[in-house]
Amino acid sequence: MSARRPYLRPMGGWWRKNPFFVEYMVHEGTAFFVAAYALILLASLIYLGQGEAAWNRWLGFLTSPLSIAIHVVLLAGFLYHTWTWFHIMPRTLPPMLVNGERVKATTITRTGLAVTVVASLIVFAIAARLAS
């Protein structure tokens, strides 16, 4: 029996030494906000399925100051998550060529953000039309 212990590479905080990994880990941490909002949407569906009284109670909660504060925090997390997602996207895509030239990373990021803004405005317009 050998008394020699195996080498164990230290793993604590390895990602803090490289700014890319710090950005990546913060991005992944903001996925919590996306998951939390998905749970709110799921709860909405459950209350909607329970009838009008349950739905009205849920709407009452959603208009409370606590709920509005939660939604503001979730929105901030969503915006940061969206920004970092499109910022990382050029590094994760295979090289894109247009007319034989490589598309710049800033072009990919800005195009993704512009498409997101346009799609969000379309969804808001549809929701506003349905609500009126």
Side-chain angles (χ1 to χ4, degrees):
M1 185 99 181
S2 173
R4 184 176 170 194
R5 295 184 320 187
Y7 172 73
L8 295 176
R9 184 177 173 187
M11 296 297 290
W14 60 269
W15 53 273
R16 284 185 247 149
K17 296 173 185 166
N18 185 331
F20 173 77
F21 290 122
V22 171
E23 179 184 353
Y24 181 79
M25 294 300 275
V26 171
H27 169 78
E28 293 302 312
T30 56
F32 165 78
F33 297 101
V34 177
Y37 196 72
L39 291 175
I40 289 174
L41 290 177
L42 180 63
S44 297
L45 285 175
I46 291 171
Y47 284 112
L48 185 62
Q50 291 178 345
E52 186 176 348
W55 176 248
N56 288 334
R57 279 194 315 271
W58 179 244
L59 287 180
F61 170 72
L62 289 179
T63 56
S64 70
L66 174 65
S67 176
I68 291 172
I70 290 171
H71 279 81
V72 168
V73 170
L74 291 176
L75 178 64
F78 258 90
L79 291 175
Y80 185 78
H81 188 82
T82 303
W83 167 253
T84 57
W85 195 84
F86 283 113
H87 187 68
I88 292 172
M89 190 167 69
R91 293 183 238 169
T92 59
L93 287 176
M96 295 177 61
L97 301 175
V98 175
N99 295 330
E101 292 187 24
R102 189 173 182 159
V103 177
K104 293 180 181 177
T106 55
T107 303
I108 294 171
T109 300
R110 290 178 182 163
T111 302
L113 288 170
V115 170
T116 299
V117 168
V118 169
S120 297
L121 290 174
I122 291 171
V123 169
F124 285 135
I126 292 171
R129 187 177 180 110
L130 291 175
S132 61

